[in-house]
Every structure is written in C-alpha cells, then in structure tokens.
Amino acid sequence: MAENGKNCDQRRVTMNKEQYNGNFTDPSSVNEKKRRDREERQNIVLWRQPLITLQYFSLETLVILKEWTSKLWHRQSIVVSFLLLLAVLTATYYVEGAHQQYVQRIEKQFLLYAYWIGLGILSSVGLGTGLHTFLLYLGPHIASVTLAAYECNSVNFPEPPYPDQIICPDEEGTEGAISLWSIISKVRIEACMWGIGTAIGELPPYFMARAARLSGAEPDDEEYQEFEEMLEHAETAQDFASRAKLAVQNLVQKVGFFGILACASIPNPLFDLAGITCGHFLVPFWTFFGATLIGKAIIKMHIQKIFVIVTFSKHIVEQMVAFIGAVPGIGPSLQKPFQEYLEAQRQKLHHRSEMGTPQGENWLSWMFEKLVAVMVCYFVLSIVNSMAQSYAKRIQQRLDPKEKTK
C-alpha cells in the first residue's frame, strides 16, 4: 500500500509539473508565480500595511459570514433543531425549581471543561504565534497547586473559590501527608481537558492533507508544500532537520497507530508533520485521532504534570532560591523578589493577605501578567493578519484566470 501511494504521488507530481490549468507551462515559472504571490500576501500585516490589512480583514469577515449564512440556510432542519434545544436549555436554566442545584453543577463543570479544552486548541493551532498555553496557563496552575499542597499539607482546597483562587482548608493537614499521586489527582481534570484540546487542534493539518490527496489539488499551505518537497527529495536529504522530518514521516507511515502514539506521547515540534502524513496517506480518522488523543491527553500529559510537580515541590523550590542567592555579586538582589513572592503566596493561602508584609505588586507577577497580555494581543493580531491574507489569496485566485485569458 505504501509503495502504491508513493507511485501515485510521483505520478501526480509529474502531471502537476507538466500541466497547469489545461495549458502546458514551465513548472519553474508556475512555482515562481506561487512564491511571489505568497510573499505578497505575507507583507499584508498590520505593522506594514495597516489600512489594507484592516480592509481585507473586514471583507474576509463578511465573506465568511456570507458563506456560513448560506450553509445554515441550506440546513434549516438542523438550525431549527438547534434553536429548539437552545430554547429548552434556556428555560431550564432560568426557571426556578429543585433542578437548579444540578443546573449549577453542570454549568460549573461545562465552563471548566470548555476553558481548558479551548486553551488546548489554542496551544496546538497558535496561528504561527507560538502561543503555548501550557507555559502560560496550565503549567502555572499545576505549580500553584503544588506549592499550595506542600504549604497546606492538603489538597482539599475549599470550593469555591478553587480553582479561581487557592486557599488552605480550615482543618490543618498532617505534615508529610502530601504525595506526588495526590497532586496528580488534583489537577488531572484540567490537564486531561487541556490534552484533549491539543489533540483536537491537530486535526486541521490532517483534514487539509486528506482533502488535498482525495481531490488532487495542491493547497497553498507552506507546511504541506514542504511535505511534498520532502517526499520528492527524500533520497538526497542531508541536513539533520530534513532527516528528522523523514524519520517522523516513515515512523507514522510504516508503524501506523503505534507510530502516531509514539510521536504524540512526547514533546514533539514536528507532530504537525505527522498529521499531514496521516492525511496524505489516507490513514483512517479514528486511527489518527485515537492515537493522538491517547498520546497527548494521557501519556504526554502525565509526563508534563510529573515534571512540573517535581520541579515545584517544596525542597526543590527552596534549593533553587538558595542557589539564586549564592550567585556572586547579584545573588542577594535576585533572591529577594523570589522570597517576597513566595511569602506573599503563603500569606494568601492562610487568609493573611491583608496583614503582614505590604501588598505591593511583586515584579515577578507583574512581568508574568504583562507577558500573558502581550501574547494574547499578538495572538489577536495574528488572527487579523491571517484573515486579511486569506482575502488577498481570494483576489489572487480571481486574477489568475483573467491573466491567462489575455
């Protein structure tokens, strides 16, 4: 099967090189035209062409709304069913009764799951920003729970305010009662939901490559084009990056489910290539998604949790702060804000944030908050740029047939 797929790829690449929209064209000129169009689109960003970018973004938004309106209009039965279901849920939510306690519980769990799944999807998609929500949200959450568990000698934090705020329970825990497994269990839901989100976020490359293979078209996607070039020059690859990508592609193609599982179970920046490979070679959806889900939401997630928990365990944190203080010259000045931050967190855990040390904003927390704000803003800007470039691509596709008829 793999050999037949390879031969089919070679025939399709040869046909694409020989023929372009019914006319025999020099493949080098076609590739050069695609490269120029791509470079032209990449220049449409807010910091280079703000007015054009905002205009194209607005027009692309209108086009997308029009397309979705048309799709919904042709699926009126589904829309009506959804509206009826929404009406029933709204009535259930607002009508008073004994069922409200269950409604509130379901609402709380739904919002919790949706929040972490959404962050997981954003981490995988990212739109080129590198918005890794594990480092910005889930990792700090696990670290906070770990520090609180060792300080409180318990993980039975009052709900509410947990998980929005962590405070120690009124009853004092036994010294040494905290284990690695108890902390893992406390953050299991958040971590697994985030892992499920990252698995869902890996589906677009798979569907894009699968649709391209079935239709015979070549999508204007850099990663997919790089994948096809890699297949063409597989035998002559020399550099480490190309060999690593080929290794991932061969592992996924030849081993199948367990190859995908192995790639998904470790931090792997090349996993997008696994999704493209599976789509290109028509790997069944549930084989790809099942292995990705198990690898990311269970295996990889537990590896990351254990790493964060061990790193932020009480004795490791104390050793790190002491090590910072031992740096010659600047050690004490660097150590002081870390000690102040840890002391402030301990006071908050014991309901003593209103007394003791002054509650001025620590520069570590201030820097982290600003970092998160900058990353989120850049993520929003990348969405605007991406949609503007999509509209520019529509214009180029409309102009191409007109140029060929001249």
Side-chain angles (χ1 to χ4, degrees), residues 303-320:
I303 294 174
Q304 291 177 308
K305 277 194 298 184
I306 291 173
F307 175 78
V308 175
I309 292 170
V310 171
T311 301
F312 286 88
S313 59
K314 186 176 181 180
H315 64 286
I316 295 293
V317 171
E318 291 174 350
Q319 289 177 3
M320 286 192 296

Side-chain angles (χ1 to χ4, degrees), residues 116-251:
W116 288 111
I117 289 175
L119 287 177
I121 294 173
L122 289 178
S123 186
S124 288
V125 177
L127 293 179
T129 64
L131 182 68
H132 204 302
T133 52
F134 181 87
L135 298 177
L136 295 176
Y137 294 97
L138 183 58
H141 174 71
I142 297 174
S144 298
V145 171
T146 303
L147 293 173
Y150 282 104
E151 179 64 25
C152 304
N153 293 312
S154 173
V155 293
N156 298 320
F157 311 125
E159 300 183 31
Y162 182 85
D164 298 324
Q165 181 185 358
I166 304 176
I167 57 175
C168 290
D170 293 332
E171 64 277 5
E172 294 186 3
T174 307
E175 185 72 27
I178 295 301
S179 64
L180 177 67
W181 181 253
S182 63
I183 302 176
I184 289 176
S185 301
K186 186 65 177 179
V187 296
R188 179 178 291 119
I189 295 297
E190 295 93 330
C192 287
M193 291 301 107
W194 186 86
I196 291 172
T198 61
I200 295 173
E202 299 293 350
L203 293 180
Y206 169 83
F207 284 123
M208 179 269 298
R210 184 181 179 87
R213 177 65 182 273
L214 292 174
S215 65
E218 290 190 13
D220 192 10
D221 181 85
E222 292 184 12
E223 289 185 346
Y224 187 78
Q225 291 176 355
E226 182 182 347
F227 171 76
E228 289 207 321
E229 291 176 2
M230 182 187 70
L231 291 181
E232 290 181 40
H233 304 95
E235 297 180 359
T236 60
Q238 297 293 332
D239 58 294
F240 175 78
S242 298
R243 290 200 300 269
K245 292 177 181 179
L246 281 172
V248 172
Q249 185 256 328
N250 290 330
L251 177 66

